[in-house]
Amino acid sequence: MIRIYLLEGKAFVWNYADVWRIREEHRIVGVLVGALPRKPRQNVRLGLPLELLPEEARLLLEKGLAILVKSPTSQSLDDGKSQDPLLPGKVAAYEMELEENYQEQLRLSAKQRKAVLDSLADRIAQGRAKKWQRKGEGGDPLVQPAESGSGFVLPQESMMIQLPTERSEITQEEEVDWHVAAQLWPYAGQEHHEMRYCIFRDLWERGYYVTTGSKFGGDFLIYPGDPMRFHAHYIALCFPKEVPISLRDIISAGRLGTNVKKTVLLCSVDQDGTVAYTSLRWSGMQ
């Protein structure tokens, strides 16, 4: 079961296997929002967690593919009474594990270095012979064997450290009822959310990949296949059925779609739940 974690009204998936599953099996894309450990100051390529739209999370919940949970509130470590009595032992075990990992990486690095030196032994010998000849010294050069690598030292700050993306220990997590509006999940029953979800679900059931359309000024972007392989064909704008759309908004939407080479879809939901679509394409003056 996919676990979706709530934080301040937003839904996140932390497990990489769940992220792969919801994309490959269920056509849910989401947005990666986590900084990469080795490049934390850039925002071009991001990593876990995966943030889901409320509509994406609800679709998984409605299909019975996921559950909505919230983590228990962490206790303050400033209060000595609230500290885990087993904390010193856990810290010692963690430090011991780090030392074992360091020794293992040191051994493997020395072994790899020795293999590289052994493969270059002939070239090293030839280089020493040429250097000996340039000095004009007679006789055969003293050919020393390649270093064994036993004296190799790996700086401890250069060792690789595993960074877990979810809790390493089992903790009690409280399941959240997504049918009821709450502080962490305020969307249940909201008219605007219900309209957006009906449109999102209808597009998803038609076989499209649907992502957020905020970067193009729309509600959703609609792809014929995985966004890693295809460009979006449509920009979806969601409007209530009974609310009139101003002519200025229609012209703006049409010109926007033309500038980014996409068709604009004006989407609305009837009282019976049927989704109606109207496409806009700017033809210009002929």
Side-chain angles (χ1 to χ4, degrees):
M1 184 69 69
I2 299 171
R3 309 181 80 81
I4 302 176
Y5 292 86
L6 288 178
L7 179 63
E8 298 181 357
K10 297 181 179 180
F12 299 94
V13 178
W14 285 89
N15 187 287
Y16 77 94
D18 290 341
V19 171
W20 178 89
R21 179 184 171 192
I22 64 178
R23 187 184 186 108
E24 293 295 323
E25 299 180 7
H26 308 301
R27 290 182 285 107
I28 299 296
V29 179
V31 179
L32 292 170
V33 295
L36 298 179
R38 292 189 178 275
K39 295 183 179 180
R41 297 183 181 275
Q42 56 84 41
N43 59 359
V44 177
R45 295 185 178 181
L46 300 177
L48 294 176
L50 181 77
E51 182 178 353
L52 300 177
L53 292 173
E55 294 76 23
E56 293 175 323
R58 179 174 171 181
L59 180 67
L60 294 172
L61 295 168
E62 197 173 80
K63 299 291 183 181
L65 303 171
I67 59 173
L68 206 60
V69 297
K70 66 175 182 179
S71 299
T73 304
S74 58
Q75 296 179 343
S76 174
L77 296 179
D78 297 334
D79 186 4
K81 296 181 181 180
S82 62
Q83 288 187 6
D84 185 357
L86 301 178
L87 182 60
K90 294 179 179 179
V91 172
Y94 175 73
E95 292 177 348
M96 182 180 297
E97 183 179 358
L98 282 181
E99 180 62 25
E100 292 177 354
N101 289 338
Y102 172 69
Q103 295 298 332
E104 179 69 12
Q105 293 182 40
L106 179 62
R107 183 184 66 81
L108 293 175
S109 299
K111 182 178 178 181
Q112 183 179 12
R113 185 171 185 267
K114 181 179 182 301
V116 172
L117 290 176
D118 290 343
S119 66
L120 299 176
D122 293 340
R123 295 179 61 183
I124 293 175
Q126 293 175 4
R128 286 174 176 170
K130 291 181 180 179
K131 183 177 180 181
W132 189 275
Q133 292 175 359
R134 284 197 300 268
K135 289 182 178 180
E137 301 181 4
D140 295 332
L142 179 62
V143 179
Q144 300 178 356
E147 300 179 35
S148 63
S150 58
F152 173 74
V153 176
L154 174 70
Q156 195 158 4
E157 60 271 13
S158 300
M159 68 175 291
M160 293 184 293
I161 300 177
Q162 181 180 5
L163 298 177
T165 57
E166 58 182 350
R167 292 180 180 270
S168 58
E169 298 180 359
I170 300 177
T171 58
Q172 293 182 353
E173 297 170 338
E174 182 180 348
E175 186 172 352
V176 178
D177 186 3
W178 59 274
H179 299 90
V180 180
Q183 183 177 2
L184 291 176
W185 184 257
Y187 310 104
Q190 288 185 359
E191 183 177 353
H192 184 65
H193 169 71
E194 295 296 333
M195 176 191 64
R196 283 173 53 96
Y197 176 69
C198 287
I199 296 170
F200 177 89
R201 182 181 59 190
D202 185 75
L203 292 169
W204 182 85
E205 290 176 346
R206 292 173 183 263
Y208 292 106
Y209 282 75
V210 186
T211 68
T212 178
S214 57
K215 65 180 179 181
F216 288 126
D219 290 290
F220 302 116
L221 287 179
I222 306 170
Y223 297 80
D226 193 302
M228 294 293 292
R229 300 176 58 192
F230 296 89
H231 290 289
H233 285 188
Y234 306 98
I235 302 175
L237 299 175
C238 303
F239 293 96
K241 183 72 173 180
E242 65 281 357
V243 176
I245 306 174
S246 66
L247 182 60
R248 182 174 59 182
D249 291 339
I250 294 177
I251 295 175
S252 299
R255 296 185 64 142
L256 170 65
T258 301
N259 289 336
V260 295
K261 298 181 180 179
K262 305 183 192 309
T263 300
V264 174
L265 291 181
L266 303 181
C267 313
S268 59
V269 182
D270 294 332
Q271 294 182 352
D272 59 354
T274 304
V275 181
Y277 301 100
T278 302
S279 62
L280 292 179
R281 300 194 67 177
W282 185 266
S283 60
M285 299 295 293
Q286 299 294 334

